Amino acid sequence: MRVRPGKGSRPRTRRRPAHEDAVAAFVVAVDRGRYTCLVGGEVAEVPGGADGRKGKKRGDQPRPVMAMRARELGRKGIVVGDRVSLVGDTSGQPDTLARIVRLEPRTSMLRRSADDTDEVERPIVANADQLVIVTALADPPPRPRMIDRMLVAAFDADIEPLLCLTKADLAPPDDLVARYDPLGVPYIVVRKGGELDEVRSRLNDRLSVLVGHSGVGKSTLVNALVPDAGRAVSHVNAVTGRGRHTSSSAVALELPGGGWIIDTPGVRSFGLGHVSVDNVLAAFPSLAEGAVHCPKGCSHRGEECSLDAWVAQGNADPMSLASLRRLLASRDGEPDDD
């Protein structure tokens, strides 16, 4: 007589985890709900990148794949610089579309708000480890208050700042360099037709995001660093002294010598409504130590602040306190200088 196996004798099969075959990808552009991702090659070795997933094969050439966001991600926003996992058609062939099913943990997030009263964070770029603040020394003239605001955003995101001073053939950098020397912010100086070796060395093997208002030469710099980038170059209005927006969205570009830069649209404002006073103070360790003596909720700008006494006792540099208060004034929305 043939005996049928009992219920408990059936072989057990391993359930495959959801999206087991997901492919690692790096988001390089975002346009109206479509995400251009790079898959293959050394994509998993992008600074801050994840590895150990299908798709990393040394020697392969990375390929662009168009993708959409899967419903299961809910309202999670995806921005340039994000590391994600894709399923579906990841061949990169024309008229194909993959799905982003997983967003990897971020190492950093550069944000801004619409204005200084808006506490809603608007993500700009993910996973950058260096914020390159591009400003012209002339034509248009520097806007130190805008630089201050971008520095606050860098300190808030825990991203290392770097000043890139362009058009040094039109004006000397000395005054602007002296202004930021107490903050210890590194800087590089660029002039028309000059060598870019120092710039390249600062960007090498890093994921850097470039920010600056229109007309400062950011797109010109990007085109020099990445010859096939093809970023449109703006011209400064002779009447207003402002540049015209030429880049409409952020895009990640691979540097020939290693590393990535993320070019962002020119900005005319940088809202800091989401930034806390404590996050700005954290960028000044010598002052943060003395702030424990301040009253609760201290703005560090009024007479009740204990930092003046802390500095008077020789515990911190007076220039550092002046710089802190200047940045806090920027955070609080005092008018930008044009």
Side-chain angles (χ1 to χ4, degrees), residues 38-208:
L38 283 186
V39 170
E42 305 300 324
V43 66
E45 294 185 0
V46 169
D51 54 17
R53 289 178 287 161
K54 181 180 176 183
K56 179 185 177 183
K57 293 182 180 180
R58 190 172 296 276
D60 286 354
Q61 289 297 315
R63 61 186 182 277
V65 173
M66 190 65 69
M68 61 179 291
R69 187 176 60 183
R71 287 183 179 179
E72 55 259 45
L73 288 179
R75 301 184 66 180
K76 289 182 179 177
I78 298 171
V79 298
V80 172
D82 267 325
R83 292 173 287 111
V84 298
S85 294
L86 306 179
V87 298
D89 193 333
T90 60
S91 66
Q93 295 299 314
D95 300 322
T96 60
L97 192 63
R99 286 188 301 126
I100 299 175
V101 294
R102 185 165 56 233
L103 176 64
E104 299 300 325
R106 293 160 169 162
T107 58
S108 68
M109 173 58 74
L110 180 65
R111 303 174 172 90
R112 66 170 174 157
S113 57
D115 55 51
D116 293 321
T117 62
D118 183 7
E119 295 183 0
V120 177
E121 300 174 352
R122 298 168 186 259
I124 303 174
V125 167
N127 297 317
D129 58 10
Q130 183 169 241
L131 179 67
V132 183
I133 302 171
V134 184
T135 187
L137 293 166
D139 191 31
R143 295 174 60 188
R145 188 59 55 79
M146 176 65 83
I147 299 173
D148 291 346
R149 296 172 75 81
M150 292 176 179
L151 285 174
V152 170
F155 295 149
D156 177 67
D158 197 21
I159 300 174
E160 294 181 21
L162 172 67
L163 287 179
C164 179
L165 309 180
T166 63
K167 305 187 183 183
D169 50 301
L170 301 180
D174 306 69
D175 290 344
L176 205 59
V177 168
R179 179 183 176 97
Y180 293 100
D181 183 63
L183 288 172
V185 178
Y187 68 92
I188 46 180
V189 179
V190 178
R191 63 183 65 248
K192 185 176 181 179
E195 294 294 328
L196 296 177
D197 293 346
E198 185 179 2
V199 178
R200 292 189 178 94
S201 67
R202 292 277 190 175
L203 303 176
N204 189 42
D205 292 331
R206 304 194 70 169
L207 182 56
S208 305

